[in-house]
Amino acid sequence: MIKILTKMINTIMNDIHNRGLFITLYMNMSHFIGVLRGFWFKVIYSKNIKSTIFSLQSNSSIEIFNKSSRLYIGKFAFIRKNASIRIDFNGLLTIGDKVFLNDNCTINCVKHISIGKFTKIGPNVSINDHDHNYKNQSNGHLVKGEVYIGENVWIGSNVVIVRDTFIGDNAVIAAGSVVKGKVPANSLYLNKREPIIKPFTTGEKVREIL
């Protein structure tokens, strides 16, 4: 305990030296408010959320639409401003220790999404474990899958991660990529997409085009 307090004091003193007193106070107040917001959402969804201490910055929200939905958040996860987390049906979302979500990220979970510890996610990233079943709605309006993101993964800004994607540990996803399928551990993923336009008829058998 003494070591933790000593480390905290040293960190604050270094911040005061490098950033100045006012900015350091503002930053720490923002972190404190974020922790209180995280605790408030945990109270609201007490039967759905399991967590220790995490920070949820201003205008970020957690919405859980089903009593069977579950959200597990590891210690010291940090979610910045304007992020949106939505879980429905039997959705299970796991966010590991010290995961960082930047501004304007969206996570939509209806089945299973897992984000490993120490993973860093850039601004405007979208993660979805389902698609809309736009061709065969008689089988339900959603096609559900899974998303697994390993530990210590770096995800650049404006990345879109779709269902049935598995990203290995220590992978780097380049900004602007659309990710589907398997990304090996310790690899760089860069996706350049050209526009594809294909006509379809309602009721046609669903085909994978990604």
Side-chain angles (χ1 to χ4, degrees), residues 17-136:
H17 176 74
N18 294 322
R19 303 177 188 273
L21 178 61
F22 175 77
I23 294 176
T24 300
L25 291 174
Y26 176 79
M27 287 177 57
N28 283 278
M29 181 60 68
S30 176
H31 293 333
F32 179 71
I33 293 173
V35 170
L36 290 180
R37 294 188 79 250
F39 179 76
W40 173 245
F41 277 94
K42 184 177 179 180
V43 170
I44 294 174
Y45 298 111
S46 58
K47 295 182 179 180
N48 306 91
I49 297 178
K50 303 296 182 184
S51 70
T52 54
I53 297 175
F54 71 98
S55 179
L56 189 72
Q57 297 289 291
S58 61
N59 296 321
S60 290
S61 64
I62 298 173
E63 296 176 295
I64 299 177
F65 299 110
N66 195 297
K67 64 181 181 180
S68 298
S69 301
R70 293 291 181 266
L71 170 59
Y72 296 95
I73 305 181
K75 59 185 178 182
F76 304 122
F78 190 89
I79 302 169
R80 293 198 68 180
K81 298 178 180 179
N82 303 309
S84 173
I85 296 175
R86 295 176 181 172
I87 312 173
D88 202 352
F89 300 99
N90 294 316
L92 169 61
L93 171 59
T94 302
I95 299 175
D97 296 346
K98 297 185 179 180
V99 167
F100 176 81
L101 270 72
N102 215 319
D103 299 330
N104 305 309
C105 287
T106 60
I107 300 176
N108 295 297
C109 176
V110 299
K111 186 177 180 182
H112 185 208
I113 296 176
S114 176
I115 303 174
K117 60 185 180 181
F118 307 120
T119 287
K120 305 293 187 291
I121 299 177
N124 306 307
V125 170
S126 177
I127 303 173
N128 300 275
D129 66 356
H130 60 281
D131 293 325
H132 287 283
N133 190 359
Y134 61 93
K135 290 185 178 180
N136 190 1

